[in-house]
Amino acid sequence: MSAPKNVAAHVLDRLAAWGVHRFYGYPGDGVGGIFTAMPERHDAEFVQVRHEETAAFAACADVKYGGSPIGCCAVTGGPGAIHALNGLYDAKLDHQPVVALLGNTAQTAQGGGYYQEVDLVALFSDVAGYLAEVKDPSQVRHVVDRACRSALADRTVSVIILPSDVLEQDAVVDPPDAHGYYHTSAVPSSMIGAPPEPALDAAAEVLNAGEKVAILAGAGALGATTELTEIANALGAGVATALLGKGVVDDRSPWNTGAIGLLGTTASWHLMRECDTLLIVGSTMPYTEYLPAPGQARAVQIDVDGSRCGIRYETEVNLTGDAAATLSALLPRLRARTDTSWRAHVERWTRSWHDYSRQRAHAHTTSLNPELVVRELSDRLPGDALIAVDCGTATSWYARDLTLRPGQRGSLSGTLLSMGGAMPYAIAAKNAHPDRPVVALVGDGAMQMNGVNELITVQRYWQQWADPRFVVLVLTNDDLSFVSWETRGMLGEAPDPQSQSLPDVPYADWAALLGLGGATLTDRAAIGETWDRAFAADRPFVVDAKVDKDIPLVPPHVTLQQALNTARSQLHDTDALSIIANGVRETVGAKARSVLGLRPRE
């Protein structure tokens, strides 16, 4: 490759050396030099999205779905950089390596109150694990190298600020051999492996002493499915998964109790509240009230970052290491279990939860039951499907009703829990794997927030994909229903329609206007047929499902205060009759039918 002619080209060269070849962004004059340098390259793919927030979300998701070792977004300074902050916080909180290229006011104008002049160093100082502004061409090599190395090693966000005038200056590929200059490497550091043997022996002692072992697996366990399954079988343990860990163990496994926390299962609640030993693998799930009671269980934790161990539960042994390598090293140290009574309890709780869930999904509700819509998707998901999920009630139905099998992968904004993440995630998933089907689960609030706009991005690129299947499920209930249920359950108040209700938007018609496929789903009997149409379509397809907003979001363990608050809220709730009717069908009725062993109502 010829020597780069300017700083912008040098930045792209150095990023390419680190494996960064895909850039999400939206052009602006502050970062224009980067975009003018891209067309000359065969190794730089630019994805133009509709908003800088989407660019940052997609950069994070590109790593999550295995598309790039380091995600990258390129946006202009001022308003563009401000827009990107939310998506970058998603990457920071979910520990994904992302490099953000931010344009900036020309150095000659800085400090003069120029248009769009913002103190980017101050603004990004919290989100960035590494932050530097390139003020001289000789800095490019060491700044880009340090940014990429820090993003990978610390699983965090690195920010490079690039003033517009510096981007146009001549490149300095090899800094002088002189005082005040650096000569750095573009070779990644080695990854962390297994902990030392004494630590492994101590962990094995705790785990071997337990009779009722529970495992909590999070995002850090992804990629260690085989090892985690072997450990669970050796210990006769049940496995619960944090939201970002869903799919790390086959959801069909009889000892996989499913999600944990507010959106979790009663099986996971029983697993945690009745175990005597806890193994946490790659999770810092913050709902500690869903873990064993303090002092109830002896605990071991495994995490690639030792600073995240022992911060949610009082652990006896903390193992800093890669999950797969650490579990492999632990396995031969564990004693084989001959008493299978604990595993039998776990499987009974799991079976009971699945029976109840099936009955709940088939309960006849005022409008379409959203749980049935998502449950019918499970049976039709292609074996290599990638799923992107938004935050809201869609998260609940994903956690509880969607069954992930080996080969499938789902993700979302798991710690920031930001609305508006599903469409950027889905776009990133498709760019990472254009030959695989992608499904986005989106509430109508998030769809109105950015989804309708990002369908334009889908329309722009879909004909370049090897597999055109890109299915968007919009769960339309004309209400910000997750917040409505929080208002009822936490505050004991009726939701205010002025803040909670949403305008009715014809999403399928909007898709058709863009030349995409779509269907409006209102008939319970048409759910399966509509899913079949969506996956058989020769282009992206939007399913606008008109679902019931009054389906109760029942936690796996309802506290007395939650019950009282919800009951109090119904005194002034205009939807009280529908809520009560649906609640009886979805909870009392479904539970009774599952206990009696009756077939779900079709």
Side-chain angles (χ1 to χ4, degrees), residues 39-51:
E40 303 174 6
R41 310 181 67 90
H42 68 277
D43 61 350
E45 174 190 0
F46 173 59
V47 181
Q48 185 203 81
V49 293
R50 312 274 63 78
H51 195 279

Side-chain angles (χ1 to χ4, degrees), residues 11-29:
V11 169
L12 296 177
D13 270 0
R14 208 63 188 176
L15 287 170
W18 286 90
V20 178
H21 301 293
R22 188 177 298 117
F23 302 81
Y24 296 91
Y26 203 83
D29 63 347

Side-chain angles (χ1 to χ4, degrees), residues 587-600:
T587 54
V588 179
K591 179 63 75 175
R593 292 182 68 84
S594 68
V595 170
L596 294 173
L598 300 177
R599 289 174 55 84

Side-chain angles (χ1 to χ4, degrees), residues 174-187:
D174 295 309
D177 182 13
H179 179 72
Y181 294 93
Y182 300 110
H183 296 262
T184 53
S185 164
V187 179

Side-chain angles (χ1 to χ4, degrees), residues 7 18 56 75 107 141 174 279 288 304 306 464 468 523 536 548 583 596:
V7 165
W18 286 90
V75 302
Q107 288 193 107
R141 178 170 162 176
D174 295 309
L279 172 61
T288 55
V304 72
Q464 301 175 20
D523 183 3
D548 204 309
L596 294 173

